[in-house]
Amino acid sequence: MRKQTHAKGESLFNSILRVGVFGTLQPAFIAISLYLAHTGASIDAHTLFIAAAFCIITLLEVVIPARSSWRKNIGENVALLAFVFVAAIAYVAVETLYEASLFRWMENFSQAWQLDVWPTQWPVIVQVLIIFAAFEFVNYWYHRASHRWGWLWRLSGHGAHHAFKKLSSLNSLANHPIEAFLLILPRAIVGFLLGGEAVGAAFVSLTAVTALLAHSNLRLNSAIVGWFFTTNRYHVHHHSQIISESNTNFGCVCILWDRIFGTFQDAETEDTGISDVQPSYKTLFAMPFKK
């Protein structure tokens, strides 16, 4: 009897939790990020917020997953963490290389031609949303091109990001190390050429938490927030195993450009990945080098 009562209580708690997460999690995280921007919070505060958001989302994925079959065992989580770790090292290395070369050139070019047109007098929240959308405008066209042109799909290693059969928030960081060369460019173009680096920390936290949620294994509401921000319903559809479905919803964090340029699709997703079985990590790393 006690076990049945405990099970009913746990089921009721999970049901209430699911409803709360469905309706409020993404709007709440967006609001917190923008509030931190409004108050001029330090980069450490934004970093702490990103870390807390990741822990909360990961815990919820364990307790109330949208798809129970996407729960990863310890071995799968360790392997994914190792892949993400390598990707992160590559990202830092490429960013360091760019800072010593491309970023410096862009900054000098911007100053010489007086391209710094960023509206620094506007409210900070407005600035953050502008750079958020501007970054995604550049990234949208790269992302769309990587799906359109086979040679770019292969050389960028973008297929590695799409190869996973079980998605979770951690998958937002699971990119092929080589793709770091291309993923950093949109930020450089918008930030250094136009001056958007002024709100860089706030932009990073808004982008990071939205990307975590877009890949999460949770039931989230897309009704209102999904008009501008990418939700996991839309992004999971982009990860569909069906190519025609995968060639939609290219906005990783901002769905606005898909709506404008006709690549938006709101539909259920049956299966993800690039094949019926997830490739080995050795195969993922080798993707850019094999035809």
Side-chain angles (χ1 to χ4, degrees):
M1 181 65 73
R2 286 183 178 179
K3 289 184 178 180
Q4 290 179 343
T5 303
H6 176 73
K8 287 181 180 179
E10 184 177 349
S11 178
L12 177 61
F13 172 77
N14 286 353
S15 297
I16 295 173
L17 186 60
R18 284 183 187 276
V19 172
V21 167
F22 178 78
T24 66
L25 187 65
Q26 187 156 0
F29 279 171
I30 291 170
I32 293 171
S33 179
L34 294 177
Y35 174 77
L36 290 174
H38 174 70
T39 58
S42 66
I43 190 170
D44 290 339
H46 284 284
T47 301
L48 181 61
F49 167 57
I50 294 170
F54 172 71
C55 291
I56 291 170
I57 295 169
T58 301
L59 177 61
L60 290 172
E61 287 175 324
V62 173
V63 178
I64 51 168
R67 306 190 191 199
S68 298
S69 59
W70 280 8
R71 278 193 177 119
K72 300 181 181 74
N73 59 40
I74 294 177
E76 290 171 328
N77 278 315
V78 170
L80 180 57
L81 277 170
F83 185 79
V84 167
F85 181 72
V86 174
I89 291 176
Y91 194 94
V92 172
V94 172
E95 187 169 36
T96 301
L97 175 64
Y98 277 170
E99 284 177 350
S101 53
L102 180 64
F103 289 1
R104 185 172 298 177
W105 175 84
M106 283 187 169
E107 191 171 16
N108 293 336
F109 181 84
S110 177
Q111 291 174 356
W113 289 87
Q114 297 183 339
L115 296 177
D116 189 346
V117 295
W118 200 258
T120 54
Q121 302 304 316
W122 291 13
V124 174
I125 290 178
V126 175
Q127 292 184 53
V128 172
L129 292 176
I130 290 175
I131 192 174
F132 182 82
F135 169 89
E136 271 292 86
F137 177 77
V138 180
N139 190 60
Y140 169 87
W141 289 107
Y142 155 66
H143 196 178
R144 187 169 175 176
S146 70
H147 281 253
R148 173 66 177 82
W149 297 327
W151 62 268
L152 183 57
W153 170 272
R154 180 175 65 84
L155 292 179
S156 67
H158 188 59
H161 183 68
H162 276 264
F164 296 93
K165 303 296 290 182
K166 300 177 180 180
L167 297 185
S168 66
S169 57
L170 189 58
N171 283 92
S172 63
L173 304 171
N175 299 293
H176 195 284
I178 285 182
E179 196 169 16
F181 285 97
L182 298 169
L183 292 175
I184 296 175
L185 287 179
R187 195 204 74 189
I189 293 171
V190 174
F192 287 97
L193 289 186
L194 301 182
E197 285 291 308
V199 288
F203 155 73
V204 168
S205 77
L206 182 61
T207 300
V209 295
T210 306
L212 289 170
L213 288 167
H215 292 82
S216 66
N217 183 22
L218 298 171
R219 287 190 68 249
L220 301 176
N221 188 12
S222 300
I224 298 176
V225 71
W227 279 100
F228 183 77
F229 296 94
T230 299
T231 65
N232 59 356
R233 175 177 172 83
Y234 303 152
H235 198 68
V236 167
H237 196 64
H238 173 71
H239 278 260
S240 173
Q241 188 176 328
I242 300 172
I243 294 178
S244 62
E245 294 180 353
S246 180
N247 288 334
T248 64
N249 301 346
F250 295 107
C252 295
V253 292
C254 180
I255 204 67
L256 174 67
W257 304 117
D258 287 284
R259 292 184 180 277
I260 291 175
F261 295 112
T263 53
F264 172 73
Q265 190 171 97
D266 182 6
E268 295 290 338
T269 307
E270 191 169 321
D271 200 6
T272 59
I274 57 176
S275 62
D276 291 334
V277 179
Q278 182 175 312
S280 68
Y281 282 92
K282 180 180 179 180
T283 300
L284 296 187
F285 280 117
M287 278 184 172
F289 313 105
K290 290 185 177 181
K291 291 185 178 181

